[in-house]
Amino acid sequence: MKKYLFILVAFGMLAACGEPIEIDDSTFMKPIDFGLSVLWGSNNLGATPDHPERLGMLYAWGEIAPKDEYGWDNYQWGGMNGRLYVTKYYGPHDYMSKLLPEDDAATSFLGGKWRMPTAKEVRELIHYCNWKVETVNGVPGLKGTDPFGDGISIFFPFTDGWKDGNPPEYPSKFTLYGQYWTSEMNFNAAPFAYMLRITSKDDPTVEMDQRASGFPIRPVRDYK
């Protein structure tokens, strides 16, 4: 959290001085090229390429800054008033179901080349890679490997996330699942957004969870 805040303060000082802001995103993220529709990030948002096992930052869906706690009582785009409600990305009401760049945490942190993946892009990665449980620097996770033996791989550490007001227990040798946000919510069920779910038993899947939950993010970027 302190590192994240330091980066934000530094960018703010540069902007105040009228200096152009150029983010060297290679310090925080490196692209992995599987030959798919997008390049995948080497690590979670808030971690670094040399430590892909680290959790990084947690985010509620559609928020661009991490918080101390996650739940509907402090969610930016909704809340609980007898029932769950949302005020933005409301499907049939505002016809928005995919995050705008200003509400995309990956774009905010890394710059315009990076963003959160769509559900379709996540499914593409799931179907392309061979998956197995591995441990990196003592942290268990799921590793996806290029099926053609090119030595290209991606690692997703397991993590509880922050759900229903309960903080994650991380790192934990007993946590053998994890959730990672996509950039899309369910058009017909506005309080829920799509996420990548990983487990130790099966291949990854795309499922839904409440938008106010705090999960990590694995960014992607376009080739151009």
Side-chain angles (χ1 to χ4, degrees), residues 24-189:
D24 180 10
D25 56 27
S26 64
T27 302
F28 308 105
M29 193 72 55
K30 292 184 178 179
I32 300 175
D33 188 356
F34 286 105
L36 303 177
S37 62
V38 292
L39 299 166
W40 279 85
S42 55
N43 49 275
N44 289 353
L45 191 63
T48 54
D50 56 333
H51 284 287
E53 82 284 358
R54 291 181 178 172
L55 173 61
M57 301 293 186
L58 299 181
Y59 296 85
W61 189 86
E63 296 185 354
I64 60 173
K67 300 184 291 191
D68 292 330
E69 297 182 0
Y70 294 82
W72 287 102
D73 58 340
N74 67 356
Y75 180 55
Q76 181 178 359
W77 305 119
M80 173 77 76
N81 184 16
R83 62 180 180 84
L84 298 180
Y85 69 91
V86 295
T87 58
K88 190 176 183 180
Y89 303 104
Y90 200 0
H93 296 273
D94 61 10
Y95 294 97
M96 292 197 298
S97 59
K98 182 180 177 181
L99 290 174
L100 298 172
E102 58 262 34
D103 299 322
D104 187 309
T107 302
S108 175
F109 191 96
L110 296 170
K113 294 181 179 179
W114 292 95
R115 57 179 173 80
M116 293 165 60
T118 66
K120 181 179 179 180
E121 290 161 351
V122 170
R123 292 188 181 99
E124 181 184 42
L125 181 71
I126 290 172
H127 294 313
Y128 180 78
C129 288
N130 293 328
W131 298 93
K132 67 176 181 178
V133 175
E134 285 203 3
T135 298
V136 174
N137 295 331
V139 177
L142 203 62
K143 182 178 182 180
T145 304
D146 188 312
F148 297 104
D150 293 331
I152 304 172
S153 64
I154 188 169
F155 180 77
F156 292 89
F158 292 129
T159 175
D160 285 336
W162 191 307
K163 298 178 59 178
D164 303 321
N166 298 313
E169 296 179 6
Y170 183 90
S172 171
K173 295 180 180 179
F174 305 104
T175 300
L176 296 178
Y177 59 90
Q179 300 97 347
Y180 291 78
W181 283 128
T182 75
S183 61
E184 298 177 294
M185 47 77 71
N186 186 320
F187 190 81
N188 296 308

Side-chain angles (χ1 to χ4, degrees), residues 1-13 28 46 57 59 64-68 109:
M1 180 72 76
K2 290 182 179 179
K3 179 178 179 182
Y4 183 87
L5 292 175
F6 174 80
I7 293 169
L8 290 180
V9 170
F11 289 170
M13 292 175 63
F28 308 105
M57 301 293 186
Y59 296 85
I64 60 173
K67 300 184 291 191
D68 292 330
F109 191 96

